[in-house]
Amino acid sequence: WLLGRLAGVLLVGQGVSERAAQWTIPLLGLRAWAILVLIGLLIGTHRWLRARSSSGVAWLGCAAMLLGTPLLYYATEAPMRPHLWGAVVVAIVITRWWDAIERARLDPRGARDRGPWPAIELAAWIGLATAIRPQLAMLVVLVAHERWLVGAGLSPRDRLSLGLKHGLVAALAWLAWAALDLRLHRWMYGELGDYAGEASTHLRAFLLSTHHGAFVWCPVLLLGVLGLAIGLARKRPGAGLLLGLLALQIGLDAGTREIEPFTVL
């Protein structure tokens, strides 16, 4: 966007209007960057899945992400919206968290030898996600979950002490992004109380509305829920936690602002 804005400013007076310089050209630059980021997300997802399953599963996962979610739309038609950017950071968070809990499960002592750095990195990514979409702040529980697994084999007191010490350091990495989000929120909307209004929950509409209902707009979400349910039944680490976080996200998004059921969601 910044490169497009600079190019537009330099072209004003040479057949380029000020509106084109200030809006159209920067938006084209942002769209090009969004498409590159989407491609990077697909490549990263494919590599991560292929290393842990099979090439077929990796290709299927990427196809589902590209065709079963609105990310392609947000990259090409609405790159100024936060959806693509939030999805990319959440993908990084989940893969880094999964790798960390796998290390902790296989070798808790080796994971402890790494110190607080995995928790700090995870908290920093979650902080960035929070700055993009504030409702993603609840992902911080993934840091506590990972540190709890790292403390396996310690006494309850030592386990709690390790979690508190590392959690406090990690919180600083998250807080820097959260403070930035709070500052931007106040700049855009005024004080936090000024943005609050009447809110009602329309869960059925949120999930099933033909206009951006979650299961309609992002049908692969149904497969994701099924996959998490299977993981929970097989007692896979973190599956229940992710299901709970997803349920909280749905409840929060379905009832945090005044919406018209089945019309604008």
Side-chain angles (χ1 to χ4, degrees), residues 36 38 44 52 54 56 61 97 103 111 126 163 171 177 186 194 199 210 225:
L36 289 175
L38 178 60
R52 289 154 186 82
S54 66
W97 164 77
R103 285 195 302 266
I126 295 171
W177 286 110
R186 294 181 63 185
D194 298 339
T210 55
V225 172

Side-chain angles (χ1 to χ4, degrees), residues 30 71 74 78-90 128-136 189:
L30 180 61
L71 291 181
Y74 284 118
M80 73 292 292
R81 302 294 298 276
H83 300 72
L84 169 67
W85 317 108
V88 170
V89 178
V90 169
L128 177 57
T130 303
I132 295 171
R133 295 181 72 83
Q135 62 264 47
L136 296 175
Y189 304 114

Side-chain angles (χ1 to χ4, degrees), residues 6-18 20-21 25:
L6 177 61
V9 170
L10 295 176
L11 292 173
V12 170
Q14 302 181 36
V16 175
S17 67
E18 286 199 18
I25 295 176

Side-chain angles (χ1 to χ4, degrees), residues 42-126:
L42 294 172
I43 292 174
T45 300
H46 183 274
R47 288 178 175 176
W48 192 85
L49 288 173
R50 187 179 58 183
R52 289 154 186 82
S53 54
S54 66
S55 179
V57 169
W59 283 111
L60 184 62
C62 291
M65 185 176 290
L66 185 66
L67 304 176
T69 76
L71 291 181
L72 179 61
Y73 166 83
Y74 284 118
T76 57
E77 298 297 328
M80 73 292 292
R81 302 294 298 276
H83 300 72
L84 169 67
W85 317 108
V88 170
V89 178
V90 169
I92 295 172
V93 167
I94 296 300
T95 53
R96 300 300 292 167
W97 164 77
W98 179 263
D99 291 343
I101 66 171
E102 281 290 280
R103 285 195 302 266
R105 184 177 65 85
L106 296 173
D107 183 14
R109 185 168 184 174
R112 285 195 294 274
D113 290 341
R114 298 169 66 94
W117 294 111
I120 294 172
E121 181 198 4
L122 196 57
W125 283 116
I126 295 171

Side-chain angles (χ1 to χ4, degrees), residues 8 15 27 31 40 45 69 82 103 112 115 117 129-130 132 139 152 154 179 209 216 223 236-237 239 261:
L27 183 58
R31 176 182 293 175
T45 300
T69 76
R103 285 195 302 266
R112 285 195 294 274
W117 294 111
T130 303
I132 295 171
L139 294 177
L154 298 176
S209 168
V216 178
L223 293 178
R236 298 302 298 271

Side-chain angles (χ1 to χ4, degrees), residues 123-253:
W125 283 116
I126 295 171
L128 177 57
T130 303
I132 295 171
R133 295 181 72 83
Q135 62 264 47
L136 296 175
M138 64 178 67
L139 294 177
V140 293
V141 300
L142 296 178
V143 179
H145 174 255
E146 187 267 343
R147 287 294 95 182
W148 178 256
L149 293 180
V150 166
L154 298 176
S155 67
R157 182 175 180 177
D158 289 342
R159 198 174 193 180
L160 181 61
S161 175
L162 181 141
L164 289 175
K165 290 177 181 177
H166 290 185
L168 181 60
V169 176
L172 296 176
W174 176 85
L175 190 61
W177 286 110
L180 173 63
D181 178 71
L182 179 62
R183 178 67 186 91
L184 288 173
H185 187 105
R186 294 181 63 185
W187 172 62
M188 293 169 66
Y189 304 114
E191 296 299 326
L192 294 179
D194 298 339
Y195 186 57
E198 293 186 9
S200 55
T201 300
H202 299 288
L203 185 59
R204 183 168 64 96
F206 177 80
L207 294 175
L208 302 175
S209 168
T210 55
H211 185 78
H212 291 192
F215 289 148
V216 178
W217 191 226
C218 188
V220 78
L221 183 61
L222 283 168
L223 293 178
V225 172
L226 177 61
L228 287 174
I230 293 173
L232 182 62
R234 293 179 177 177
K235 299 181 179 179
R236 298 302 298 271
L241 180 59
L242 288 184
L243 266 174
L245 286 171
L246 179 60
L248 284 173
Q249 286 286 323
I250 290 174
L252 186 64
D253 285 339

